[in-house]
Amino acid sequence: MKLIIAIIRSNKLDQVRESLVKKGIERITVSRVAGHGRHTKTELYRGKLVVPGLTPKMRIEIAVNDDFVESTVAAILESASGGGDGIIGDGKIFITPLDDCIRIRTGERGSDAI
Amino acid sequence: MKKSYLLLLILLSFNLSAFASGTNEIDSGATAWMIMSTALVLLMIPGLAMFYGGLVRSKNVLGTMMHSFVAMGVMSLLWVVVGYSMCFGENTLGGWIGWNSDYLFLNGIDESIMEGGIPELVFAMFQGKFAIITPALIAGAFAERVSFKGYVLFIILWGIFVYNPLCHWVWAEDGFLYNLGPMGAIDYAGGTVVHISAGISGLVAAIYLGKRRGYPNHHLRPNNLVMTLMGAGLLWVGWFGFNAGSSISSGLGTAQALTATQVAAAAGAVSWIIIESFHHGKATALGFVSGVLAGLVSVTPAAGVVQPIGAIALGILATMVCYLAVILKDKLGYDDSLDAFGIHGMGAIVGALALSFFIRDSWMTEAALANGGTWSSFQQLGIQAAAVGIAIVYAAAGSLIIIFIVEKTVGFKAKPCDELDGLDYAYHGERGYGMLTPN
């Protein structure tokens, strides 16, 4: 079992969700986050150009069984890029091992609970 | 004896001089109320901004509120430049619009006082608020998916070519709907001019521009119903200026309109939550304020002619029809995002037609006299239906042409990437909130 954490552009959330659902991955958690990257796009505030200190992003967490890892990653890669124009800020995907998973309602553990 | 002659002479000469100068005296009571009403109608526009702003997703909140706010800027200027002249000037182009070059920039009415003792500038400003709120109402139908530039061009063209002619026909003394039948088509405060025209134009725009991305498969949830409720509250308060101010006086007619307005709003709201309780088992806050609006909209054309029992009937009737219209929208699949047509269009059509059966007796007696004997509710219904039909056809046709022109020139529908970014960031470079919900 793996935990996949993807940090993506806020405006890509709809496409990423649709792409994941298309590949049969429907159990996800989404939160708004902010952070630093190499992203230095300027924004206009009161007539001044400023580089925002923290850029808003979306964070998606997906717990999957091992055989779903590649299709999940492929789904995110297909849908989350800014159109292939090479502008910084498309985000990152992190994959970590997942020790266990428990469904609270039934108490099931492991792969079955995912 | 001599003294009393002198007094008579003085009084006579005083009266004569007043008569000779031909100006009306200012009635400070009426003027004060009309200034108050003007401010109240203006208050409805930020109210509308909050009402609509709360109903969209958080990435579109500023863009949606700006639809109302920018109308306060653009339409105010347009009104002063040509709007007042086109609405309240003399019949021109076969009565299509009014025109009076004295009214351009309101130059010629600087010192004029109207018959009711109200400075004409106050009347012009009061009417100007209606020209602001009407295009802002339409924005509810195509919320979350139009470009800012396209919207601004749309309200300019719509104001000039749809609102101004309609306003002239219904409210100018030489307008043809004002003079239809013995006592005219009844549109006290803007059922046809404001709500039907906005509702129908919104419907046309919603169908022409297409749906929002994700509608109707995804539930596009309101970002802040608290703000929507505050906006609805402001609208209700402001509506007293809208309806009671439309008496253009401060007297019995004002009191009658004020009462009808309060009662219809309450009846609409209560019936909405009753219907909802039976239908879904819960009375929603959004349902309550939808009912408030349905009631207010339906009594807008009728406020001057119905008594409280009629206002209650109109409120209940409008809510029933609007409730069905909102359900039907999902069945038919067009994306009238915030129900500009479902509430404003349908509510006003119901109000403008059904009011025929609740007109107070004194009005009917007067109409019968003017008609030379008799005048029935059904005859008035015919007049009302004609006015409603003309407003629907004219607003639909005019809007369709304008939307087509805007779409082909500056572009009306937001580009897909802008729609995904949200109007706030795409067109204004700002965000309405911090980061509250991932929606």
Side-chain angles (χ1 to χ4, degrees), chain B residues 1-28:
Chain B
M1 195 70 188
K2 233 178 190 178
K3 239 179 194 171
S4 59
Y5 268 122
L6 200 67
L7 197 69
L8 199 68
L9 205 69
I10 292 169
L11 276 176
L12 262 176
S13 62
F14 190 75
N15 273 345
L16 277 173
S17 68
F19 184 75
S21 68
T23 54
N24 300 303
E25 290 281 314
I26 290 222
D27 177 339
S28 60

PDB file of all heavy atoms in Angstrom, chain B residues 1-28:
ATOM      1  N   MET B   1     -62.598  98.117   6.839  1.00  0.00           N
ATOM      2  CA  MET B   1     -63.051  97.775   5.492  1.00  0.00           C
ATOM      3  C   MET B   1     -61.925  97.921   4.483  1.00  0.00           C
ATOM      4  O   MET B   1     -61.621  97.029   3.702  1.00  0.00           O
ATOM      5  CB  MET B   1     -64.217  98.724   5.132  1.00  0.00           C
ATOM      6  CG  MET B   1     -65.009  98.237   3.927  1.00  0.00           C
ATOM      7  SD  MET B   1     -65.965  96.748   4.352  1.00  0.00           S
ATOM      8  CE  MET B   1     -66.551  96.280   2.755  1.00  0.00           C
ATOM      9  N   LYS B   2     -61.321  99.119   4.582  1.00  0.00           N
ATOM     10  CA  LYS B   2     -60.202  99.387   3.693  1.00  0.00           C
ATOM     11  C   LYS B   2     -59.092  98.323   3.872  1.00  0.00           C
ATOM     12  O   LYS B   2     -58.528  97.826   2.919  1.00  0.00           O
ATOM     13  CB  LYS B   2     -59.629 100.768   4.007  1.00  0.00           C
ATOM     14  CG  LYS B   2     -59.551 101.637   2.761  1.00  0.00           C
ATOM     15  CD  LYS B   2     -59.036 103.007   3.119  1.00  0.00           C
ATOM     16  CE  LYS B   2     -59.178 103.956   1.952  1.00  0.00           C
ATOM     17  NZ  LYS B   2     -58.717 105.309   2.335  1.00  0.00           N
ATOM     18  N   LYS B   3     -58.884  98.025   5.174  1.00  0.00           N
ATOM     19  CA  LYS B   3     -57.829  97.052   5.512  1.00  0.00           C
ATOM     20  C   LYS B   3     -58.062  95.700   4.835  1.00  0.00           C
ATOM     21  O   LYS B   3     -57.163  95.095   4.266  1.00  0.00           O
ATOM     22  CB  LYS B   3     -57.795  96.844   7.036  1.00  0.00           C
ATOM     23  CG  LYS B   3     -56.455  97.181   7.646  1.00  0.00           C
ATOM     24  CD  LYS B   3     -56.521  96.968   9.127  1.00  0.00           C
ATOM     25  CE  LYS B   3     -55.322  97.610   9.796  1.00  0.00           C
ATOM     26  NZ  LYS B   3     -55.468  97.609  11.257  1.00  0.00           N
ATOM     27  N   SER B   4     -59.322  95.228   4.915  1.00  0.00           N
ATOM     28  CA  SER B   4     -59.596  93.889   4.358  1.00  0.00           C
ATOM     29  C   SER B   4     -59.440  93.884   2.839  1.00  0.00           C
ATOM     30  O   SER B   4     -59.036  92.900   2.243  1.00  0.00           O
ATOM     31  CB  SER B   4     -60.981  93.385   4.759  1.00  0.00           C
ATOM     32  OG  SER B   4     -61.937  94.288   4.294  1.00  0.00           O
ATOM     33  N   TYR B   5     -59.801  94.991   2.194  1.00  0.00           N
ATOM     34  CA  TYR B   5     -59.591  95.090   0.744  1.00  0.00           C
ATOM     35  C   TYR B   5     -58.109  94.943   0.404  1.00  0.00           C
ATOM     36  O   TYR B   5     -57.717  94.234  -0.524  1.00  0.00           O
ATOM     37  CB  TYR B   5     -60.087  96.456   0.202  1.00  0.00           C
ATOM     38  CG  TYR B   5     -61.514  96.395  -0.253  1.00  0.00           C
ATOM     39  CD1 TYR B   5     -62.471  97.227   0.298  1.00  0.00           C
ATOM     40  CD2 TYR B   5     -61.910  95.506  -1.264  1.00  0.00           C
ATOM     41  CE1 TYR B   5     -63.788  97.187  -0.110  1.00  0.00           C
ATOM     42  CE2 TYR B   5     -63.229  95.448  -1.679  1.00  0.00           C
ATOM     43  CZ  TYR B   5     -64.161  96.286  -1.105  1.00  0.00           C
ATOM     44  OH  TYR B   5     -65.459  96.225  -1.509  1.00  0.00           O
ATOM     45  N   LEU B   6     -57.366  95.685   1.231  1.00  0.00           N
ATOM     46  CA  LEU B   6     -55.906  95.662   1.011  1.00  0.00           C
ATOM     47  C   LEU B   6     -55.372  94.235   1.133  1.00  0.00           C
ATOM     48  O   LEU B   6     -54.593  93.773   0.295  1.00  0.00           O
ATOM     49  CB  LEU B   6     -55.226  96.569   2.051  1.00  0.00           C
ATOM     50  CG  LEU B   6     -53.814  97.025   1.680  1.00  0.00           C
ATOM     51  CD1 LEU B   6     -53.860  97.946   0.473  1.00  0.00           C
ATOM     52  CD2 LEU B   6     -53.147  97.706   2.861  1.00  0.00           C
ATOM     53  N   LEU B   7     -55.866  93.551   2.192  1.00  0.00           N
ATOM     54  CA  LEU B   7     -55.416  92.168   2.429  1.00  0.00           C
ATOM     55  C   LEU B   7     -55.771  91.268   1.246  1.00  0.00           C
ATOM     56  O   LEU B   7     -54.941  90.498   0.752  1.00  0.00           O
ATOM     57  CB  LEU B   7     -56.108  91.635   3.699  1.00  0.00           C
ATOM     58  CG  LEU B   7     -55.454  90.389   4.318  1.00  0.00           C
ATOM     59  CD1 LEU B   7     -54.107  90.768   4.907  1.00  0.00           C
ATOM     60  CD2 LEU B   7     -56.352  89.790   5.378  1.00  0.00           C
ATOM     61  N   LEU B   8     -57.009  91.441   0.760  1.00  0.00           N
ATOM     62  CA  LEU B   8     -57.467  90.659  -0.376  1.00  0.00           C
ATOM     63  C   LEU B   8     -56.573  90.903  -1.587  1.00  0.00           C
ATOM     64  O   LEU B   8     -56.170  89.981  -2.308  1.00  0.00           O
ATOM     65  CB  LEU B   8     -58.915  91.042  -0.711  1.00  0.00           C
ATOM     66  CG  LEU B   8     -59.677  90.011  -1.560  1.00  0.00           C
ATOM     67  CD1 LEU B   8     -59.925  88.741  -0.767  1.00  0.00           C
ATOM     68  CD2 LEU B   8     -60.994  90.605  -2.045  1.00  0.00           C
ATOM     69  N   LEU B   9     -56.272  92.188  -1.774  1.00  0.00           N
ATOM     70  CA  LEU B   9     -55.436  92.590  -2.907  1.00  0.00           C
ATOM     71  C   LEU B   9     -54.056  91.929  -2.825  1.00  0.00           C
ATOM     72  O   LEU B   9     -53.542  91.371  -3.805  1.00  0.00           O
ATOM     73  CB  LEU B   9     -55.285  94.123  -2.923  1.00  0.00           C
ATOM     74  CG  LEU B   9     -54.979  94.706  -4.295  1.00  0.00           C
ATOM     75  CD1 LEU B   9     -56.202  94.570  -5.208  1.00  0.00           C
ATOM     76  CD2 LEU B   9     -54.585  96.173  -4.168  1.00  0.00           C
ATOM     77  N   ILE B  10     -53.529  91.985  -1.599  1.00  0.00           N
ATOM     78  CA  ILE B  10     -52.196  91.387  -1.404  1.00  0.00           C
ATOM     79  C   ILE B  10     -52.237  89.885  -1.697  1.00  0.00           C
ATOM     80  O   ILE B  10     -51.417  89.345  -2.419  1.00  0.00           O
ATOM     81  CB  ILE B  10     -51.690  91.637   0.046  1.00  0.00           C
ATOM     82  CG1 ILE B  10     -51.407  93.118   0.240  1.00  0.00           C
ATOM     83  CG2 ILE B  10     -50.431  90.828   0.341  1.00  0.00           C
ATOM     84  CD1 ILE B  10     -51.166  93.506   1.681  1.00  0.00           C
ATOM     85  N   LEU B  11     -53.292  89.244  -1.113  1.00  0.00           N
ATOM     86  CA  LEU B  11     -53.422  87.789  -1.314  1.00  0.00           C
ATOM     87  C   LEU B  11     -53.557  87.448  -2.790  1.00  0.00           C
ATOM     88  O   LEU B  11     -52.933  86.537  -3.294  1.00  0.00           O
ATOM     89  CB  LEU B  11     -54.649  87.265  -0.558  1.00  0.00           C
ATOM     90  CG  LEU B  11     -54.421  86.953   0.917  1.00  0.00           C
ATOM     91  CD1 LEU B  11     -55.733  86.537   1.578  1.00  0.00           C
ATOM     92  CD2 LEU B  11     -53.389  85.832   1.060  1.00  0.00           C
ATOM     93  N   LEU B  12     -54.418  88.220  -3.479  1.00  0.00           N
ATOM     94  CA  LEU B  12     -54.645  87.977  -4.895  1.00  0.00           C
ATOM     95  C   LEU B  12     -53.359  88.105  -5.703  1.00  0.00           C
ATOM     96  O   LEU B  12     -53.020  87.252  -6.502  1.00  0.00           O
ATOM     97  CB  LEU B  12     -55.685  88.970  -5.441  1.00  0.00           C
ATOM     98  CG  LEU B  12     -57.108  88.427  -5.523  1.00  0.00           C
ATOM     99  CD1 LEU B  12     -58.057  89.531  -5.982  1.00  0.00           C
ATOM    100  CD2 LEU B  12     -57.189  87.227  -6.444  1.00  0.00           C
ATOM    101  N   SER B  13     -52.673  89.218  -5.436  1.00  0.00           N
ATOM    102  CA  SER B  13     -51.457  89.469  -6.214  1.00  0.00           C
ATOM    103  C   SER B  13     -50.420  88.378  -5.923  1.00  0.00           C
ATOM    104  O   SER B  13     -49.699  87.943  -6.796  1.00  0.00           O
ATOM    105  CB  SER B  13     -50.888  90.848  -5.903  1.00  0.00           C
ATOM    106  OG  SER B  13     -50.542  90.895  -4.528  1.00  0.00           O
ATOM    107  N   PHE B  14     -50.430  87.927  -4.671  1.00  0.00           N
ATOM    108  CA  PHE B  14     -49.497  86.869  -4.284  1.00  0.00           C
ATOM    109  C   PHE B  14     -49.792  85.599  -5.074  1.00  0.00           C
ATOM    110  O   PHE B  14     -48.912  85.002  -5.688  1.00  0.00           O
ATOM    111  CB  PHE B  14     -49.639  86.614  -2.776  1.00  0.00           C
ATOM    112  CG  PHE B  14     -48.556  85.727  -2.234  1.00  0.00           C
ATOM    113  CD1 PHE B  14     -47.275  86.232  -2.059  1.00  0.00           C
ATOM    114  CD2 PHE B  14     -48.811  84.391  -1.927  1.00  0.00           C
ATOM    115  CE1 PHE B  14     -46.267  85.409  -1.557  1.00  0.00           C
ATOM    116  CE2 PHE B  14     -47.806  83.585  -1.427  1.00  0.00           C
ATOM    117  CZ  PHE B  14     -46.532  84.096  -1.244  1.00  0.00           C
ATOM    118  N   ASN B  15     -51.107  85.254  -5.071  1.00  0.00           N
ATOM    119  CA  ASN B  15     -51.508  84.053  -5.812  1.00  0.00           C
ATOM    120  C   ASN B  15     -51.187  84.186  -7.286  1.00  0.00           C
ATOM    121  O   ASN B  15     -50.727  83.247  -7.914  1.00  0.00           O
ATOM    122  CB  ASN B  15     -53.016  83.826  -5.660  1.00  0.00           C
ATOM    123  CG  ASN B  15     -53.307  83.020  -4.423  1.00  0.00           C
ATOM    124  OD1 ASN B  15     -52.389  82.418  -3.882  1.00  0.00           O
ATOM    125  ND2 ASN B  15     -54.538  83.021  -3.976  1.00  0.00           N
ATOM    126  N   LEU B  16     -51.528  85.387  -7.834  1.00  0.00           N
ATOM    127  CA  LEU B  16     -51.308  85.594  -9.257  1.00  0.00           C
ATOM    128  C   LEU B  16     -49.840  85.450  -9.628  1.00  0.00           C
ATOM    129  O   LEU B  16     -49.495  84.807 -10.618  1.00  0.00           O
ATOM    130  CB  LEU B  16     -51.802  86.999  -9.672  1.00  0.00           C
ATOM    131  CG  LEU B  16     -53.302  87.064  -9.958  1.00  0.00           C
ATOM    132  CD1 LEU B  16     -53.725  88.502 -10.197  1.00  0.00           C
ATOM    133  CD2 LEU B  16     -53.662  86.181 -11.143  1.00  0.00           C
ATOM    134  N   SER B  17     -48.999  86.034  -8.775  1.00  0.00           N
ATOM    135  CA  SER B  17     -47.570  85.989  -9.112  1.00  0.00           C
ATOM    136  C   SER B  17     -47.061  84.542  -9.073  1.00  0.00           C
ATOM    137  O   SER B  17     -46.282  84.129  -9.914  1.00  0.00           O
ATOM    138  CB  SER B  17     -46.755  86.869  -8.168  1.00  0.00           C
ATOM    139  OG  SER B  17     -46.777  86.297  -6.879  1.00  0.00           O
ATOM    140  N   ALA B  18     -47.596  83.791  -8.086  1.00  0.00           N
ATOM    141  CA  ALA B  18     -47.179  82.387  -8.010  1.00  0.00           C
ATOM    142  C   ALA B  18     -47.628  81.636  -9.254  1.00  0.00           C
ATOM    143  O   ALA B  18     -46.911  80.828  -9.810  1.00  0.00           O
ATOM    144  CB  ALA B  18     -47.780  81.727  -6.768  1.00  0.00           C
ATOM    145  N   PHE B  19     -48.854  81.963  -9.683  1.00  0.00           N
ATOM    146  CA  PHE B  19     -49.410  81.308 -10.843  1.00  0.00           C
ATOM    147  C   PHE B  19     -48.635  81.710 -12.102  1.00  0.00           C
ATOM    148  O   PHE B  19     -48.322  80.863 -12.942  1.00  0.00           O
ATOM    149  CB  PHE B  19     -50.883  81.707 -10.980  1.00  0.00           C
ATOM    150  CG  PHE B  19     -51.581  81.000 -12.093  1.00  0.00           C
ATOM    151  CD1 PHE B  19     -51.944  79.673 -11.962  1.00  0.00           C
ATOM    152  CD2 PHE B  19     -51.867  81.661 -13.279  1.00  0.00           C
ATOM    153  CE1 PHE B  19     -52.576  79.013 -12.987  1.00  0.00           C
ATOM    154  CE2 PHE B  19     -52.501  81.001 -14.319  1.00  0.00           C
ATOM    155  CZ  PHE B  19     -52.872  79.686 -14.169  1.00  0.00           C
ATOM    156  N   ALA B  20     -48.304  82.993 -12.184  1.00  0.00           N
ATOM    157  CA  ALA B  20     -47.684  83.528 -13.394  1.00  0.00           C
ATOM    158  C   ALA B  20     -46.299  82.928 -13.624  1.00  0.00           C
ATOM    159  O   ALA B  20     -45.914  82.644 -14.751  1.00  0.00           O
ATOM    160  CB  ALA B  20     -47.596  85.032 -13.333  1.00  0.00           C
ATOM    161  N   SER B  21     -45.577  82.706 -12.542  1.00  0.00           N
ATOM    162  CA  SER B  21     -44.206  82.230 -12.720  1.00  0.00           C
ATOM    163  C   SER B  21     -44.183  80.782 -13.231  1.00  0.00           C
ATOM    164  O   SER B  21     -43.199  80.332 -13.802  1.00  0.00           O
ATOM    165  CB  SER B  21     -43.435  82.322 -11.404  1.00  0.00           C
ATOM    166  OG  SER B  21     -43.973  81.399 -10.494  1.00  0.00           O
ATOM    167  N   GLY B  22     -45.300  80.019 -12.998  1.00  0.00           N
ATOM    168  CA  GLY B  22     -45.450  78.703 -13.606  1.00  0.00           C
ATOM    169  C   GLY B  22     -44.591  77.623 -12.979  1.00  0.00           C
ATOM    170  O   GLY B  22     -44.543  76.510 -13.476  1.00  0.00           O
ATOM    171  N   THR B  23     -43.890  77.892 -11.903  1.00  0.00           N
ATOM    172  CA  THR B  23     -43.088  76.838 -11.283  1.00  0.00           C
ATOM    173  C   THR B  23     -43.843  76.232 -10.121  1.00  0.00           C
ATOM    174  O   THR B  23     -44.683  76.893  -9.495  1.00  0.00           O
ATOM    175  CB  THR B  23     -41.760  77.402 -10.750  1.00  0.00           C
ATOM    176  OG1 THR B  23     -42.070  78.486  -9.883  1.00  0.00           O
ATOM    177  CG2 THR B  23     -40.857  77.843 -11.872  1.00  0.00           C
ATOM    178  N   ASN B  24     -43.558  74.971  -9.849  1.00  0.00           N
ATOM    179  CA  ASN B  24     -44.181  74.321  -8.701  1.00  0.00           C
ATOM    180  C   ASN B  24     -43.359  74.608  -7.455  1.00  0.00           C
ATOM    181  O   ASN B  24     -42.154  74.773  -7.525  1.00  0.00           O
ATOM    182  CB  ASN B  24     -44.250  72.822  -8.942  1.00  0.00           C
ATOM    183  CG  ASN B  24     -45.052  72.470 -10.180  1.00  0.00           C
ATOM    184  OD1 ASN B  24     -46.216  72.842 -10.296  1.00  0.00           O
ATOM    185  ND2 ASN B  24     -44.420  71.801 -11.121  1.00  0.00           N
ATOM    186  N   GLU B  25     -44.090  74.651  -6.340  1.00  0.00           N
ATOM    187  CA  GLU B  25     -43.398  74.796  -5.058  1.00  0.00           C
ATOM    188  C   GLU B  25     -42.788  73.450  -4.671  1.00  0.00           C
ATOM    189  O   GLU B  25     -43.381  72.408  -4.938  1.00  0.00           O
ATOM    190  CB  GLU B  25     -44.414  75.193  -3.994  1.00  0.00           C
ATOM    191  CG  GLU B  25     -44.940  76.601  -4.148  1.00  0.00           C
ATOM    192  CD  GLU B  25     -43.941  77.619  -3.624  1.00  0.00           C
ATOM    193  OE1 GLU B  25     -43.401  77.405  -2.533  1.00  0.00           O
ATOM    194  OE2 GLU B  25     -43.687  78.612  -4.351  1.00  0.00           O
ATOM    195  N   ILE B  26     -41.661  73.497  -4.020  1.00  0.00           N
ATOM    196  CA  ILE B  26     -41.080  72.252  -3.531  1.00  0.00           C
ATOM    197  C   ILE B  26     -41.877  71.714  -2.356  1.00  0.00           C
ATOM    198  O   ILE B  26     -42.224  72.469  -1.444  1.00  0.00           O
ATOM    199  CB  ILE B  26     -39.609  72.470  -3.102  1.00  0.00           C
ATOM    200  CG1 ILE B  26     -38.759  72.714  -4.339  1.00  0.00           C
ATOM    201  CG2 ILE B  26     -39.115  71.302  -2.277  1.00  0.00           C
ATOM    202  CD1 ILE B  26     -37.447  72.028  -4.355  1.00  0.00           C
ATOM    203  N   ASP B  27     -42.262  70.451  -2.423  1.00  0.00           N
ATOM    204  CA  ASP B  27     -42.897  69.797  -1.285  1.00  0.00           C
ATOM    205  C   ASP B  27     -41.782  69.058  -0.542  1.00  0.00           C
ATOM    206  O   ASP B  27     -41.294  68.027  -1.000  1.00  0.00           O
ATOM    207  CB  ASP B  27     -43.955  68.826  -1.817  1.00  0.00           C
ATOM    208  CG  ASP B  27     -44.630  68.030  -0.706  1.00  0.00           C
ATOM    209  OD1 ASP B  27     -44.040  67.926   0.393  1.00  0.00           O
ATOM    210  OD2 ASP B  27     -45.736  67.512  -0.941  1.00  0.00           O
ATOM    211  N   SER B  28     -41.390  69.621   0.588  1.00  0.00           N
ATOM    212  CA  SER B  28     -40.190  69.068   1.224  1.00  0.00           C
ATOM    213  C   SER B  28     -40.432  67.645   1.735  1.00  0.00           C
ATOM    214  O   SER B  28     -39.529  66.814   1.734  1.00  0.00           O
ATOM    215  CB  SER B  28     -39.701  69.975   2.343  1.00  0.00           C
ATOM    216  OG  SER B  28     -40.708  70.106   3.304  1.00  0.00           O
TER     217      SER B  28
END
